[in-house]
Amino acid sequence: EYEAEPKGWRPIETAPKDGTRILIWSPFYPEDVNVGCWQGSEDDTDVWSTEGAWFMPEDITHWQPLPAPPITEPGAGGESGT
């Protein structure tokens, strides 16, 4: 069953605005989760920036920290070895 607010999602008002990359979510695109960061500017065109898209601040309502990258053993390479 789908949860309205999956564990870990936080109100966007609590998101870092220092350029840290985070997961962001908009109710306008409920199927999509994007990796983005806050881009403030001196001319009041502040946006949430992703690779290839920008979102107006009012369009993003929730965020989560990015998960830690996987830890692999040196030389593992993720290949099956067959």
Side-chain angles (χ1 to χ4, degrees), residues 12-63:
I12 198 63
E13 295 80 15
T14 64
K17 291 189 173 179
D18 60 1
T20 301
R21 291 170 32 123
I22 58 175
L23 296 175
I24 57 176
W25 182 82
S26 169
F28 295 104
Y29 305 98
E31 301 292 321
D32 296 336
V33 173
N34 291 284
V35 175
C37 66
W38 179 253
Q39 273 194 314
S41 70
E42 295 178 9
D43 64 357
D44 290 331
T45 54
D46 301 339
V47 294
W48 288 102
S49 177
T50 67
E51 290 200 25
W54 292 327
F55 293 91
M56 297 304 297
E58 61 271 15
D59 293 344
I60 302 298
T61 61
H62 290 81
W63 76 282

Side-chain angles (χ1 to χ4, degrees), residues 1-7 9 25 62:
E1 183 175 312
Y2 178 78
E3 294 179 78
E5 288 199 14
K7 185 177 180 182
W9 287 103
W25 182 82
H62 290 81

